[in-house]
Amino acid sequence: MKIFYATLFLLLTFQFSFSSQNRKVLIIGIDGTRSDAFQQANTPHIDGLLATSTYSYDSWHTGITWSGPSWSTILTGVNWNKHGVTSNAFTGSNFNQYPPFPTLAKQIKPNLYCSIVAEWDPLVDNITNASWNHAVKVPDTGNWPTADSAVVELQNPDIDLLFAYFDKVDVTGHTSTFSPSNPL
């Protein structure tokens, strides 16, 4: 039996309580999270967001399952054979030809304010040409530093798009399995 570990990627679109405001985009990436495990987990805050969001628990991965190539695919919308990333070293990237989505979005709306909050520095350092207005590298310490930093970013009235990346599930899964029954 072939076992795949999946990356949970939620694209959440939301609108604040003021109907005159533009819609905002919150992308939550939880590296190493299998969708079956996520659906079994107690996630009341995310569940609350899902009620008014666009999301999917179904995905198909036909490429390389390392974090670098996978997140490059998610951020550019093209597979590794186009974006060029085949390892976590990000060598051979082709982000000038296949830019990340904030860059593409700003080609249409140049004044978009886009932020990334990430626990994995290579995601911020190596996905070049992403046009982030603000990039926050969060140390892999403490209880909820990424969530806390994401909340700070969401309080910015100018925010249009926020990508919050969590890697603790991936780190834990590599040391103790990615199974939904893993108590960690």
Side-chain angles (χ1 to χ4, degrees), residues 21-57:
Q21 287 186 322
N22 293 327
R23 292 184 68 85
K24 308 293 182 171
V25 176
L26 169 62
I27 301 167
I28 300 174
I30 308 173
D31 205 342
T33 301
R34 291 174 27 173
S35 62
D36 60 337
F38 180 77
Q39 290 175 71
Q40 293 176 33
N42 180 21
T43 57
H45 298 292
I46 292 178
D47 293 344
L49 291 171
L50 294 179
T52 58
S53 300
T54 302
Y55 65 95
S56 175
Y57 291 117

Side-chain angles (χ1 to χ4, degrees), residues 31 67-68 71 88 90 118-124 138 140 165 167:
D31 205 342
S67 294
W71 288 106
N88 287 344
F90 290 87
E119 293 173 350
W120 190 46
D121 289 355
L123 193 61
V124 175
V138 182
D140 262 339
Y165 170 86
D167 76 345

Side-chain angles (χ1 to χ4, degrees), residues 169-179 181-184:
V169 173
D170 188 54
V171 171
T172 302
H174 282 293
T175 60
S176 64
T177 80
F178 292 96
S179 169
S181 63
N182 184 344
L184 301 175

Side-chain angles (χ1 to χ4, degrees), residues 89-107:
F90 290 87
T91 56
S93 66
N94 193 11
F95 296 131
N96 286 330
Q97 186 171 357
Y98 299 101
F101 66 84
T103 302
L104 296 172
K106 286 183 177 192
Q107 289 174 2

Side-chain angles (χ1 to χ4, degrees), residues 61-81:
H61 201 293
T62 59
I64 304 163
T65 59
W66 287 91
S67 294
S70 295
W71 288 106
S72 295
T73 294
I74 289 168
L75 290 172
T76 63
V78 299
N79 213 342
W80 66 270
N81 59 338

